[in-house]
Amino acid sequence: MSSIYTGPVFEMARSQFHSVADFLEIPEGQRDRLLYPKRAITISVPINMDNGEMAVFQGYRVQHHLTLGPTKGGTRFAPTVDIGEVSALAIWMSWKCALAGLPYGGAKGGVTVDVHTLSRRELESLSRRYMQEMIPFVGPHVDVMAPDMGTNEQVMAWFMDTYSMYQGRTVNEIVTGKPVSSGGTEGRREATGLGVAHLIFRSLERLQLAAADSTAIIQGFGNVGSFAAIELARQGVKIIGVSDHTSCLFDRRGLDVNAMVDHAARNGSLRGFSTELAFDPSQLLVQPCDILVPAAVERVIDAEIAAKLDCRILAEAANGPTTPEADEVLNQRRSEIFVIPDILCNSGGVIVSYFEWVQDLQQLFWHKTEVIERLKGLLDNAFMRVMERVEKDNIPHRTAAMAIGVDKVAKAKATRGLFP
Ligand code: NAD
């Protein structure tokens, strides 16, 4: 099938899908229907800038499949956003939701923009206008948005408010990742990073390594990276390297996570935190450590870097950090490096988003302890199923995780018929 979906990130999602489809022996004739998105929406988003000029941004939303329920997925505001990247992220969301047992298909959206160049007023205009343009295509039982890179709780509150004003009533359940004061759930802010850390602790247990004797390096210090760092450090892991798009810091004796979190909260990034601890970002991922956590962008681990990795656990907190070529290297190094694949590793975010949606629909809110306990229960279940599949079929962790997700969607499509 010829398609509008192109680019390196989409090619990654396509190649991963085909290798799992080969493993599952899915016939060629059924593959396009499983892989290609149900819908892709492209919009122009005009806003008035602070300098009096009008600017038009390109926005997208891709809804991968409607077979298991509404679609669900984040909204990314970043300069790299294009239809190929957004569709790859939507496809990964589908396998992730199916693996976690959530009643969703995958979706993703975004705007091609560098948010760091926008004032708060411009960001609000962009957020509201993006949601305004999407109103005909989303809904609490159609497609539910959430935050991703470059968006946050405030952006979700603007999305919810814009949709609600159009409906003439408050519709909390239209987006997740909102502030608790606007229908959000306790625990969503930290859910993805906390989930990443929880799965790292489960992996350490399997490898019979002690958290207190372990070191970690984290690339990306936004929502996911910072909360993963906080939880790892809280349970005794020494954080020896951290980077964001402005700064890279390394200290084998251990970095002060709380001080970095405070600095990033005050300044918006790690820029200016320290000159003595500055490190070459191109060398960060290959430094010796027990736990390596890419928590920023896609495709940061290629075959060359994969060959040089010196970690015991690779916890893929970001979506798509490892290229298929790097996967081949990691498959050879299976006994050395324990991979927690992205669709498992960062699934804490969508799991608690699902809890938020359920609470909003019922208008019955849970205590934080209940949210976190339920989160850990679903993560443990997914982790155990992946490990069982790895052992049963003697396959790499990513193949096992994807096989569970793809198989579930394929079976649902086979029983429902051609429509969804
Ligand atoms: P964020 O915008 O809060 O933070 C992104 C971080 O990455 C920032 O610290 C930024 O400076 C850093 N960064 C960007 N480019 C970098 C580079 N080249 N090198 C080093 N650091 C760089 O985003 P987030 O929500 O934390 O998302 C991070 C990753 O996790 C993304 O892949 C996202 O898709 C994935 N994810 C997020 C969630 C969630 O709930 N937020 C859920 C699942 C997956």
Side-chain angles (χ1 to χ4, degrees):
M1 174 173 139
S2 71
S3 86
I4 56 168
Y5 307 106
T6 55
V9 187
F10 183 77
E11 278 311 308
M12 257 182 80
R14 201 176 69 81
S15 146
Q16 288 174 347
F17 168 75
H18 280 289
S19 62
V20 171
D22 288 344
F23 169 71
L24 291 172
E25 298 179 349
I26 295 173
E28 281 293 338
Q30 291 176 22
R31 293 189 184 188
D32 282 357
R33 189 165 161 245
L34 271 167
L35 176 67
Y36 287 103
K38 183 80 177 166
R39 296 181 190 134
I41 300 126
T42 306
I43 55 172
S44 296
V45 191
I47 63 165
N48 292 318
M49 304 299 281
D50 290 350
N51 64 6
E53 309 237 315
M54 190 189 68
V56 182
F57 296 90
Q58 195 85 64
Y60 307 93
R61 185 79 184 161
V62 171
Q63 299 165 350
H64 181 227
H65 76 80
L66 306 170
T67 316
L68 293 167
T71 50
K72 182 88 194 76
T75 311
R76 176 174 285 194
F77 286 180
T80 55
V81 165
D82 61 22
I83 193 80
E85 180 179 283
V86 171
S87 51
L89 290 161
I91 291 165
W92 287 326
M93 275 302 287
S94 286
W95 317 143
K96 188 185 303 183
C97 292
L99 172 63
L102 310 181
Y104 295 134
K108 207 78 177 190
V111 175
T112 316
V113 60
D114 181 354
V115 274
H116 303 107
T117 63
L118 299 180
S119 68
R120 184 181 159 90
R121 194 206 60 79
E122 289 166 342
L123 179 63
E124 176 171 356
S125 296
L126 184 69
S127 305
R128 288 185 178 279
R129 187 61 194 251
Y130 174 81
M131 175 49 104
Q132 164 79 47
E133 297 294 335
M134 287 295 167
I135 286 175
F137 309 107
V138 298
H141 295 284
V142 179
D143 182 15
V144 181
M145 296 182 187
D148 192 80
M149 270 174 62
T151 59
N152 55 22
E153 288 182 4
Q154 177 60 71
V155 172
M156 294 307 112
W158 288 325
F159 281 180
M160 186 274 279
D161 184 64
T162 304
Y163 185 87
S164 295
M165 291 308 96
Y166 182 81
Q167 300 293 328
R169 66 193 170 89
T170 296
V171 188
N172 288 140
E173 59 273 24
I174 183 61
V175 295
T176 60
K178 302 177 295 293
V180 174
S181 58
S182 298
T185 181
E186 297 284 350
R188 175 60 183 91
R189 186 181 299 164
E190 54 272 65
T192 313
L194 204 63
V196 168
H198 181 73
L199 292 169
I200 290 171
F201 295 128
R202 284 281 175 267
S203 308
L204 286 170
E205 277 164 28
R206 280 186 82 87
L207 297 169
Q208 298 183 322
L209 298 172
D213 298 332
S214 303
T215 55
I217 292 176
I218 302 175
Q219 181 191 52
F221 205 65
N223 174 278
V224 181
S226 65
F227 280 109
I230 292 168
E231 186 60 13
L232 289 172
R234 196 177 72 81
Q235 300 213 31
V237 174
K238 196 195 284 180
I239 312 296
I240 58 171
V242 161
S243 70
D244 71 0
H245 72 289
T246 63
S247 179
C248 177
L249 306 160
F250 188 84
D251 187 350
R252 196 147 279 293
R253 293 165 304 172
L255 295 163
D256 184 341
V257 172
N258 290 331
M260 289 188 298
V261 168
D262 287 348
H263 182 93
R266 270 198 312 275
N267 302 289
S269 73
L270 290 171
R271 192 195 305 275
F273 179 75
S274 164
T275 43
E276 297 93 76
L277 303 174
F279 195 74
D280 176 359
S282 70
Q283 295 305 309
L284 185 71
L285 298 181
V286 297
Q287 293 308 302
C289 63
D290 298 300
I291 304 155
L292 180 64
V293 189
V297 291
E298 298 91 36
R299 297 166 47 78
V300 292
I301 301 175
D302 60 14
E304 201 184 320
I305 294 179
K308 291 190 201 152
L309 290 183
D310 195 353
C311 60
R312 194 67 191 87
I313 294 172
L314 172 61
E316 294 182 342
N319 286 306
T322 307
T323 66
E325 299 75 31
D327 256 340
E328 284 174 28
V329 177
L330 291 174
N331 291 348
Q332 301 294 321
R333 301 186 65 192
R334 265 161 77 186
S335 58
E336 296 165 68
I337 300 177
F338 185 101
V339 176
I340 313 176
D342 52 1
I343 62 166
L344 171 64
C345 191
N346 65 37
S347 61
V350 70
I351 289 172
V352 176
S353 273
Y354 164 61
F355 296 161
E356 180 175 335
W357 181 69
V358 167
Q359 292 171 73
D360 284 340
L361 286 170
Q362 301 186 340
Q363 289 296 299
L364 178 66
F365 292 90
W366 311 345
H367 193 273
K368 186 169 181 179
T369 328
E370 184 177 356
V371 173
I372 303 300
E373 281 315 302
R374 283 179 182 256
L375 165 67
K376 289 179 178 171
L378 288 196
L379 286 175
D380 285 344
N381 188 277
F383 183 74
M384 191 189 65
R385 286 165 61 226
V386 171
M387 290 302 124
E388 281 171 3
R389 192 75 184 248
V390 165
E391 277 155 27
K392 180 169 139 294
D393 294 331
N394 190 23
I395 47 176
H397 294 187
R398 188 183 322 284
T399 312
M402 282 193 57
I404 297 169
V406 171
D407 201 30
K408 178 167 177 187
V409 179
K411 287 203 170 107
K413 281 193 185 289
T415 49
R416 281 196 61 173
L418 273 186
F419 281 147

Short mmCIF file of all heavy atoms in Angstrom, two decimals, residues 76-77 89 93 96 108 115-116 146-152 188-189 191-193 219-226 243-247 268-270 281 284 294-298 300 317-321 342 346-350 353, ligand 1:
data_model
loop_
_atom_site.label_atom_id
_atom_site.label_comp_id
_atom_site.label_asym_id
_atom_site.label_seq_id
_atom_site.Cartn_x
_atom_site.Cartn_y
_atom_site.Cartn_z
N ARG A 76 1.97 16.25 21.34
CA ARG A 76 3.36 16.69 21.41
C ARG A 76 3.51 18.03 20.72
O ARG A 76 3.06 18.19 19.59
CB ARG A 76 4.22 15.63 20.71
CG ARG A 76 5.67 15.97 20.61
CD ARG A 76 6.46 14.81 20.02
NE ARG A 76 6.63 13.73 20.99
CZ ARG A 76 7.51 12.73 20.84
NH1 ARG A 76 8.27 12.68 19.78
NH2 ARG A 76 7.61 11.79 21.76
N PHE A 77 4.12 18.99 21.40
CA PHE A 77 4.46 20.27 20.77
C PHE A 77 5.98 20.27 20.62
O PHE A 77 6.70 20.46 21.61
CB PHE A 77 4.03 21.46 21.64
CG PHE A 77 2.54 21.74 21.66
CD1 PHE A 77 2.03 22.80 22.42
CD2 PHE A 77 1.64 20.98 20.92
CE1 PHE A 77 0.66 23.08 22.45
CE2 PHE A 77 0.26 21.25 20.95
CZ PHE A 77 -0.22 22.30 21.72
N LEU A 89 4.01 7.14 16.73
CA LEU A 89 3.68 7.21 18.17
C LEU A 89 2.27 6.68 18.44
O LEU A 89 2.03 6.03 19.45
CB LEU A 89 3.83 8.66 18.66
CG LEU A 89 5.29 9.16 18.72
CD1 LEU A 89 5.35 10.69 18.75
CD2 LEU A 89 6.02 8.60 19.95
N MET A 93 1.30 3.44 20.73
CA MET A 93 0.27 3.53 21.78
C MET A 93 -0.70 2.36 21.71
O MET A 93 -1.17 1.86 22.74
CB MET A 93 -0.53 4.84 21.64
CG MET A 93 0.07 6.05 22.28
SD MET A 93 0.38 5.88 24.03
CE MET A 93 -1.28 5.96 24.70
N LYS A 96 0.89 -0.61 23.22
CA LYS A 96 1.07 -0.35 24.66
C LYS A 96 -0.24 -0.54 25.43
O LYS A 96 -0.28 -1.21 26.46
CB LYS A 96 1.56 1.11 24.82
CG LYS A 96 1.98 1.48 26.20
CD LYS A 96 2.33 2.98 26.29
CE LYS A 96 3.39 3.41 25.31
NZ LYS A 96 3.77 4.83 25.46
N LYS A 108 -2.19 9.74 18.66
CA LYS A 108 -1.17 10.73 19.02
C LYS A 108 -1.46 11.99 18.22
O LYS A 108 -2.04 11.91 17.13
CB LYS A 108 0.23 10.22 18.67
CG LYS A 108 1.31 10.82 19.54
CD LYS A 108 1.35 10.14 20.89
CE LYS A 108 2.46 10.66 21.77
NZ LYS A 108 2.60 9.81 22.96
N VAL A 115 8.28 25.08 21.54
CA VAL A 115 7.53 25.77 22.61
C VAL A 115 8.39 26.76 23.38
O VAL A 115 7.86 27.70 23.97
CB VAL A 115 6.89 24.79 23.64
CG1 VAL A 115 5.54 24.31 23.20
CG2 VAL A 115 7.80 23.67 24.02
N HIS A 116 9.70 26.53 23.37
CA HIS A 116 10.58 27.43 24.13
C HIS A 116 10.59 28.85 23.55
O HIS A 116 11.03 29.78 24.20
CB HIS A 116 12.00 26.88 24.19
CG HIS A 116 12.04 25.49 24.78
ND1 HIS A 116 12.27 24.37 24.03
CD2 HIS A 116 11.84 25.06 26.05
CE1 HIS A 116 12.22 23.30 24.82
NE2 HIS A 116 11.96 23.70 26.04
N ALA A 146 -3.88 13.50 25.88
CA ALA A 146 -3.08 13.55 27.11
C ALA A 146 -1.82 14.37 26.82
O ALA A 146 -1.57 14.72 25.67
CB ALA A 146 -2.72 12.13 27.54
N PRO A 147 -0.98 14.63 27.84
CA PRO A 147 0.26 15.38 27.55
C PRO A 147 1.36 14.50 26.95
O PRO A 147 1.32 13.29 27.07
CB PRO A 147 0.72 15.87 28.94
CG PRO A 147 -0.18 15.28 29.95
CD PRO A 147 -1.15 14.38 29.28
N ASP A 148 2.29 15.13 26.30
CA ASP A 148 3.52 14.47 25.83
C ASP A 148 4.58 15.57 25.81
O ASP A 148 4.40 16.62 26.45
CB ASP A 148 3.30 13.84 24.45
CG ASP A 148 4.43 12.89 24.06
OD1 ASP A 148 4.43 11.74 24.52
OD2 ASP A 148 5.33 13.30 23.29
N MET A 149 5.64 15.35 25.09
CA MET A 149 6.72 16.34 25.07
C MET A 149 6.20 17.72 24.70
O MET A 149 5.46 17.87 23.72
CB MET A 149 7.80 15.93 24.06
CG MET A 149 8.86 15.08 24.68
SD MET A 149 9.98 14.48 23.44
CE MET A 149 10.64 16.01 22.83
N GLY A 150 6.59 18.72 25.47
CA GLY A 150 6.24 20.10 25.15
C GLY A 150 4.85 20.52 25.62
O GLY A 150 4.49 21.69 25.50
N THR A 151 4.05 19.57 26.14
CA THR A 151 2.75 19.95 26.72
C THR A 151 2.73 19.49 28.17
O THR A 151 3.55 18.67 28.57
CB THR A 151 1.57 19.31 25.96
OG1 THR A 151 1.71 17.90 25.99
CG2 THR A 151 1.50 19.78 24.52
N ASN A 152 1.79 20.02 28.94
CA ASN A 152 1.77 19.72 30.37
C ASN A 152 0.35 19.86 30.92
O ASN A 152 -0.61 20.00 30.15
CB ASN A 152 2.74 20.65 31.11
CG ASN A 152 2.42 22.12 30.82
OD1 ASN A 152 1.30 22.47 30.44
ND2 ASN A 152 3.40 22.99 30.99
N ARG A 188 -1.23 11.30 38.56
CA ARG A 188 -0.96 11.29 37.12
C ARG A 188 0.35 11.98 36.78
O ARG A 188 1.09 11.54 35.93
CB ARG A 188 -2.11 11.94 36.32
CG ARG A 188 -1.85 12.07 34.80
CD ARG A 188 -1.62 10.72 34.15
NE ARG A 188 -1.29 10.77 32.72
CZ ARG A 188 -0.07 10.84 32.21
NH1 ARG A 188 0.99 10.95 33.03
NH2 ARG A 188 0.13 10.83 30.92
N ARG A 189 0.64 13.10 37.51
CA ARG A 189 1.83 13.89 37.19
C ARG A 189 3.08 13.03 37.26
O ARG A 189 3.94 13.07 36.39
CB ARG A 189 1.94 15.06 38.18
CG ARG A 189 3.06 16.02 37.85
CD ARG A 189 3.15 17.13 38.86
NE ARG A 189 1.93 17.93 38.92
CZ ARG A 189 1.63 18.75 39.93
NH1 ARG A 189 2.43 18.88 40.96
NH2 ARG A 189 0.52 19.46 39.90
N ALA A 191 3.09 9.63 37.31
CA ALA A 191 2.81 8.22 36.96
C ALA A 191 3.84 7.60 36.02
O ALA A 191 4.29 6.47 36.24
CB ALA A 191 1.42 8.12 36.33
N THR A 192 4.22 8.30 34.96
CA THR A 192 5.10 7.66 33.98
C THR A 192 6.48 7.39 34.60
O THR A 192 6.99 6.27 34.51
CB THR A 192 5.24 8.54 32.71
OG1 THR A 192 3.93 8.95 32.31
CG2 THR A 192 5.89 7.78 31.58
N GLY A 193 7.05 8.41 35.25
CA GLY A 193 8.38 8.24 35.86
C GLY A 193 8.36 7.22 36.99
O GLY A 193 9.28 6.40 37.13
N GLN A 219 18.74 10.32 30.46
CA GLN A 219 18.76 11.34 29.41
C GLN A 219 17.36 11.93 29.31
O GLN A 219 16.40 11.21 29.02
CB GLN A 219 19.13 10.70 28.06
CG GLN A 219 19.18 11.72 26.94
CD GLN A 219 19.27 11.06 25.58
OE1 GLN A 219 18.49 10.18 25.24
NE2 GLN A 219 20.23 11.48 24.79
N GLY A 220 17.23 13.24 29.53
CA GLY A 220 15.92 13.89 29.53
C GLY A 220 15.50 14.13 30.95
O GLY A 220 15.49 13.20 31.77
N PHE A 221 15.17 15.39 31.28
CA PHE A 221 14.82 15.72 32.66
C PHE A 221 13.51 16.49 32.68
O PHE A 221 13.35 17.47 33.39
CB PHE A 221 15.96 16.51 33.30
CG PHE A 221 16.01 16.38 34.81
CD1 PHE A 221 16.28 15.16 35.39
CD2 PHE A 221 15.77 17.47 35.62
CE1 PHE A 221 16.32 15.03 36.78
CE2 PHE A 221 15.81 17.36 37.00
CZ PHE A 221 16.08 16.13 37.59
N GLY A 222 12.55 16.02 31.86
CA GLY A 222 11.22 16.63 31.86
C GLY A 222 10.33 15.84 32.80
O GLY A 222 10.79 15.31 33.82
N ASN A 223 9.07 15.72 32.45
CA ASN A 223 8.12 15.02 33.32
C ASN A 223 8.61 13.60 33.63
O ASN A 223 8.72 13.21 34.79
CB ASN A 223 6.75 15.00 32.63
CG ASN A 223 5.75 14.16 33.41
OD1 ASN A 223 5.72 12.94 33.29
ND2 ASN A 223 4.95 14.79 34.25
N VAL A 224 8.92 12.83 32.60
CA VAL A 224 9.24 11.42 32.81
C VAL A 224 10.60 11.26 33.49
O VAL A 224 10.74 10.56 34.51
CB VAL A 224 9.21 10.66 31.46
CG1 VAL A 224 9.52 9.19 31.69
CG2 VAL A 224 7.86 10.82 30.78
N GLY A 225 11.63 11.89 32.93
CA GLY A 225 12.99 11.73 33.45
C GLY A 225 13.11 12.21 34.89
O GLY A 225 13.76 11.55 35.72
N SER A 226 12.50 13.34 35.22
CA SER A 226 12.70 13.89 36.58
C SER A 226 11.99 13.02 37.62
O SER A 226 12.56 12.73 38.67
CB SER A 226 12.23 15.35 36.66
OG SER A 226 10.85 15.44 36.45
N SER A 243 20.89 14.52 31.62
CA SER A 243 20.98 15.57 30.59
C SER A 243 19.59 16.06 30.22
O SER A 243 18.61 15.36 30.43
CB SER A 243 21.69 15.06 29.34
OG SER A 243 20.87 14.14 28.67
N ASP A 244 19.54 17.28 29.69
CA ASP A 244 18.33 17.73 29.00
C ASP A 244 18.80 18.43 27.73
O ASP A 244 19.95 18.27 27.33
CB ASP A 244 17.42 18.59 29.91
CG ASP A 244 18.00 19.96 30.20
OD1 ASP A 244 19.10 20.28 29.70
OD2 ASP A 244 17.34 20.72 30.94
N HIS A 245 17.92 19.17 27.06
CA HIS A 245 18.35 19.74 25.77
C HIS A 245 19.31 20.92 25.94
O HIS A 245 19.87 21.41 24.98
CB HIS A 245 17.13 20.14 24.92
CG HIS A 245 16.41 21.35 25.43
ND1 HIS A 245 15.65 21.35 26.58
CD2 HIS A 245 16.33 22.61 24.94
CE1 HIS A 245 15.14 22.54 26.78
NE2 HIS A 245 15.54 23.33 25.80
N THR A 246 19.51 21.36 27.19
CA THR A 246 20.39 22.51 27.41
C THR A 246 21.69 22.15 28.11
O THR A 246 22.63 22.94 28.11
CB THR A 246 19.70 23.55 28.32
OG1 THR A 246 19.47 22.96 29.62
CG2 THR A 246 18.38 24.03 27.75
N SER A 247 21.74 20.98 28.76
CA SER A 247 22.84 20.74 29.67
C SER A 247 23.05 19.24 29.89
O SER A 247 22.10 18.47 29.81
CB SER A 247 22.48 21.42 31.01
OG SER A 247 23.49 21.22 31.96
N GLY A 268 13.12 26.28 34.18
CA GLY A 268 12.56 25.65 32.98
C GLY A 268 13.48 24.61 32.36
O GLY A 268 13.08 23.92 31.42
N SER A 269 14.72 24.52 32.84
CA SER A 269 15.66 23.51 32.31
C SER A 269 16.84 23.41 33.26
O SER A 269 16.91 24.13 34.27
CB SER A 269 16.15 23.90 30.91
OG SER A 269 17.06 24.98 31.03
N LEU A 270 17.81 22.55 32.91
CA LEU A 270 19.01 22.39 33.75
C LEU A 270 20.09 23.41 33.41
O LEU A 270 21.15 23.41 34.02
CB LEU A 270 19.58 20.97 33.58
CG LEU A 270 18.73 19.83 34.18
CD1 LEU A 270 19.28 18.48 33.76
CD2 LEU A 270 18.71 19.93 35.71
N PRO A 281 27.55 15.55 26.02
CA PRO A 281 26.30 14.78 25.90
C PRO A 281 26.42 13.58 24.95
O PRO A 281 25.72 12.59 25.13
CB PRO A 281 25.28 15.80 25.37
CG PRO A 281 26.06 17.00 24.97
CD PRO A 281 27.39 16.96 25.63
N LEU A 284 27.35 10.53 27.00
CA LEU A 284 26.61 10.19 28.24
C LEU A 284 26.07 8.76 28.23
O LEU A 284 26.22 8.02 29.21
CB LEU A 284 25.45 11.19 28.44
CG LEU A 284 24.70 11.00 29.76
CD1 LEU A 284 25.55 11.44 30.94
CD2 LEU A 284 23.39 11.78 29.76
N PRO A 294 16.94 6.31 28.78
CA PRO A 294 16.67 7.36 27.80
C PRO A 294 15.23 7.85 28.02
O PRO A 294 14.29 7.06 27.90
CB PRO A 294 16.83 6.65 26.45
CG PRO A 294 16.67 5.19 26.73
CD PRO A 294 16.99 4.96 28.18
N ALA A 295 15.06 9.13 28.36
CA ALA A 295 13.72 9.65 28.69
C ALA A 295 13.49 10.96 27.94
O ALA A 295 12.89 11.90 28.47
CB ALA A 295 13.59 9.86 30.20
N ALA A 296 14.00 11.03 26.70
CA ALA A 296 13.84 12.29 25.95
C ALA A 296 13.17 12.03 24.60
O ALA A 296 11.94 12.09 24.50
CB ALA A 296 15.19 12.96 25.78
N VAL A 297 13.96 11.73 23.59
CA VAL A 297 13.43 11.68 22.21
C VAL A 297 13.70 10.31 21.57
O VAL A 297 14.35 9.46 22.15
CB VAL A 297 14.06 12.80 21.35
CG1 VAL A 297 13.57 14.16 21.80
CG2 VAL A 297 15.57 12.75 21.39
N GLU A 298 13.19 10.14 20.34
CA GLU A 298 13.37 8.87 19.62
C GLU A 298 14.78 8.72 19.08
O GLU A 298 15.51 9.70 18.93
CB GLU A 298 12.44 8.80 18.39
CG GLU A 298 10.98 8.86 18.68
CD GLU A 298 10.48 10.28 18.65
OE1 GLU A 298 10.96 11.07 17.83
OE2 GLU A 298 9.60 10.60 19.45
N VAL A 300 17.78 7.66 19.78
CA VAL A 300 19.06 8.11 20.35
C VAL A 300 20.04 6.95 20.47
O VAL A 300 21.24 7.17 20.63
CB VAL A 300 18.88 8.79 21.72
CG1 VAL A 300 18.16 10.12 21.58
CG2 VAL A 300 18.14 7.90 22.71
N ALA A 317 12.34 4.72 28.77
CA ALA A 317 11.28 5.61 29.25
C ALA A 317 10.69 6.44 28.12
O ALA A 317 9.49 6.73 28.09
CB ALA A 317 11.83 6.51 30.34
N ALA A 318 11.53 6.84 27.16
CA ALA A 318 11.04 7.57 25.99
C ALA A 318 10.35 6.60 25.05
O ALA A 318 10.53 5.39 25.15
CB ALA A 318 12.20 8.25 25.27
N ASN A 319 9.59 7.12 24.11
CA ASN A 319 9.03 6.28 23.05
C ASN A 319 10.06 6.16 21.93
O ASN A 319 10.60 7.17 21.47
CB ASN A 319 7.75 6.92 22.50
CG ASN A 319 6.59 6.78 23.46
OD1 ASN A 319 6.26 5.67 23.87
ND2 ASN A 319 5.97 7.89 23.83
N GLY A 320 10.32 4.94 21.51
CA GLY A 320 11.18 4.71 20.35
C GLY A 320 12.62 5.17 20.47
O GLY A 320 13.18 5.65 19.48
N PRO A 321 13.28 5.02 21.62
CA PRO A 321 14.67 5.50 21.71
C PRO A 321 15.67 4.61 20.96
O PRO A 321 16.77 5.05 20.68
CB PRO A 321 14.96 5.47 23.22
CG PRO A 321 14.08 4.41 23.75
CD PRO A 321 12.82 4.45 22.92
N ASP A 342 10.03 0.11 25.49
CA ASP A 342 9.23 1.33 25.71
C ASP A 342 7.76 1.07 25.96
O ASP A 342 7.16 1.65 26.87
CB ASP A 342 9.42 2.33 24.55
CG ASP A 342 9.19 1.72 23.16
OD1 ASP A 342 8.87 0.51 23.07
OD2 ASP A 342 9.35 2.46 22.16
N ASN A 346 7.19 2.75 29.73
CA ASN A 346 6.55 4.03 30.03
C ASN A 346 5.02 3.93 30.09
O ASN A 346 4.33 4.95 30.05
CB ASN A 346 7.02 5.12 29.04
CG ASN A 346 6.59 4.85 27.62
OD1 ASN A 346 5.50 4.35 27.36
ND2 ASN A 346 7.45 5.21 26.66
N SER A 347 4.50 2.71 30.23
CA SER A 347 3.04 2.55 30.18
C SER A 347 2.34 3.07 31.44
O SER A 347 1.11 3.17 31.47
CB SER A 347 2.66 1.09 29.93
OG SER A 347 3.14 0.25 30.97
N GLY A 348 3.10 3.42 32.49
CA GLY A 348 2.48 3.98 33.69
C GLY A 348 1.67 5.23 33.39
O GLY A 348 0.64 5.49 34.02
N GLY A 349 2.11 6.00 32.39
CA GLY A 349 1.42 7.24 32.04
C GLY A 349 0.01 6.96 31.54
O GLY A 349 -0.97 7.52 32.05
N VAL A 350 -0.09 6.07 30.56
CA VAL A 350 -1.43 5.83 30.00
C VAL A 350 -2.29 5.02 30.97
O VAL A 350 -3.51 5.17 31.00
CB VAL A 350 -1.36 5.18 28.59
CG1 VAL A 350 -0.88 3.76 28.62
CG2 VAL A 350 -2.74 5.25 27.93
N SER A 353 -3.66 7.60 33.17
CA SER A 353 -4.60 8.37 32.36
C SER A 353 -5.93 7.62 32.25
O SER A 353 -7.02 8.22 32.31
CB SER A 353 -4.05 8.60 30.95
OG SER A 353 -3.24 9.75 30.91
P1 NAD B 1 9.03 16.75 28.53
O1 NAD B 1 8.78 17.75 27.47
O2 NAD B 1 8.44 16.97 29.89
O3 NAD B 1 10.61 16.54 28.72
C1 NAD B 1 11.46 16.18 27.69
C2 NAD B 1 12.87 16.28 28.20
O4 NAD B 1 13.78 15.82 27.21
C3 NAD B 1 13.30 17.72 28.54
O5 NAD B 1 14.09 17.69 29.72
C4 NAD B 1 14.14 18.11 27.33
O6 NAD B 1 15.09 19.11 27.65
C5 NAD B 1 14.82 16.79 27.06
N1 NAD B 1 15.41 16.67 25.74
C6 NAD B 1 14.88 16.99 24.54
N2 NAD B 1 15.76 16.72 23.56
C7 NAD B 1 16.86 16.22 24.17
C8 NAD B 1 18.10 15.72 23.71
N3 NAD B 1 18.39 15.72 22.41
N4 NAD B 1 19.00 15.27 24.63
C9 NAD B 1 18.72 15.28 25.94
N5 NAD B 1 17.54 15.71 26.43
C10 NAD B 1 16.64 16.18 25.55
O7 NAD B 1 8.56 15.34 27.92
P2 NAD B 1 8.14 14.03 28.70
O8 NAD B 1 6.69 14.06 28.87
O9 NAD B 1 9.04 13.84 29.87
O10 NAD B 1 8.45 12.92 27.57
C11 NAD B 1 9.72 12.34 27.42
C12 NAD B 1 9.57 11.05 26.62
O11 NAD B 1 8.69 10.17 27.32
C13 NAD B 1 8.96 11.21 25.23
O12 NAD B 1 9.49 10.23 24.37
C14 NAD B 1 7.48 10.91 25.47
O13 NAD B 1 6.83 10.48 24.28
C15 NAD B 1 7.61 9.80 26.47
N6 NAD B 1 6.40 9.56 27.29
C16 NAD B 1 5.87 10.54 28.05
C17 NAD B 1 4.77 10.26 28.85
C18 NAD B 1 4.17 11.28 29.78
O14 NAD B 1 3.28 10.91 30.56
N7 NAD B 1 4.60 12.52 29.79
C19 NAD B 1 4.18 8.99 28.82
C20 NAD B 1 4.76 8.00 28.03
C21 NAD B 1 5.88 8.30 27.27
#
